[in-house]
Amino acid sequence: MSSQTKGILIQAVLGAVLISILMIPFQGLTPLAPYSAMLILPIMLFFTLQAPPKALLGMFLSFACGVGWAGLFLLVKDVLPGVPFELMMGVGVAVVIFLVLSVHPILLGRTPFGLVPAVLLGLIESLLVTMVVPMLVDGAPELNLLWLLVVFGYGCLMTLILVAVQDRLISAVLGTTWRSAPTEDAPSSQVPATVPTRPAASEAS
């Protein structure tokens, strides 16, 4: 079994254990235990983007922008009560998505607010929350836009802890540097850093 395969298997075990453990404080200290599955979304987004750990702040800020766009959309919807719901959701959401896909990469692409997938996730999650809340049964905890930021932020914190712990443990077990997320010395996720070798004398000549 190769070192990379061993590392991935260890990473899978650590991921399953750490994610489960890190969910416990959120479930115990907030009234939103039924929404615990949403904590996985930042982790999924982080590894899908192949992002370095320092990108977590930008990921959170971009997500917050998406929540802000949703809040703006809801404000406009409330001041236009005569517009049919279907038209507002169809045309209105299309306009907001166009603004997200244009404003963030063009004007904010070099800032922590330019991570478009995180912005879109914040927008869509916010709209889903506002549409699902009225359908909750009596006594069920309501997830508002502020709590949505708390959930995503806690998920980002879980991601940071997960990466830090598993990289240290896997590196210790394998005896080599392991990076779950890209860095300058290991640009690909789940690939141990390799020391560059000098070309042989015959190749150099």
Side-chain angles (χ1 to χ4, degrees):
M1 184 182 297
S2 67
S3 295
Q4 184 174 355
T5 300
K6 291 178 182 177
I8 292 174
L9 290 175
I10 297 172
Q11 188 177 36
V13 172
L14 289 174
V17 172
L18 287 174
I19 289 173
S20 299
I21 292 175
L22 291 171
M23 280 184 173
I24 294 174
F26 179 86
Q27 294 169 335
L29 299 177
T30 77
L32 304 176
Y35 300 96
S36 297
M38 296 178 70
L39 296 171
I40 306 296
L41 293 176
I43 299 174
M44 291 171 55
L45 180 63
F46 175 79
F47 285 105
T48 299
L49 293 173
Q50 295 283 282
K54 63 182 180 181
L56 280 168
L57 176 60
M59 211 171 80
F60 174 79
L61 293 176
S62 293
F63 181 87
C65 285
V67 175
W69 279 111
L72 180 61
F73 170 81
L74 294 173
L75 286 176
V76 173
K77 182 175 75 69
D78 290 339
V79 299
L80 298 174
V83 179
F85 177 80
E86 293 78 7
L87 180 61
M88 177 61 72
M89 292 303 295
V91 177
V93 171
V95 170
V96 174
I97 290 177
F98 168 78
L99 291 173
V100 169
L101 295 178
S102 57
V103 170
H104 286 269
I106 295 174
L107 300 181
L108 304 172
R110 296 183 180 273
T111 73
F113 307 98
L115 199 57
V116 174
V119 181
L120 289 174
L121 182 61
L123 170 66
I124 300 304
E125 274 196 49
S126 299
L127 295 180
L128 287 175
V129 164
T130 57
M131 288 187 289
V132 167
V133 164
M135 296 186 292
L136 294 175
V137 298
D138 292 338
E142 295 187 2
L143 186 64
N144 56 33
L145 298 187
L146 181 59
W147 272 116
L148 192 61
L149 288 175
V150 173
V151 173
F152 193 84
Y154 191 86
C156 288
L157 178 62
M158 286 175 54
T159 305
L160 182 61
I161 296 173
L162 176 65
V163 170
V165 171
Q166 68 184 14
D167 282 3
R168 287 179 179 273
L169 289 179
I170 294 174
S171 295
V173 171
L174 297 182
T176 183
T177 303
W178 177 270
R179 294 286 182 263
S180 300
T183 61
E184 292 181 358
D185 60 344
S188 298
S189 178
Q190 297 182 338
V191 176
T194 55
V195 179
T197 57
R198 295 182 179 180
S202 58
E203 294 177 354
S205 59

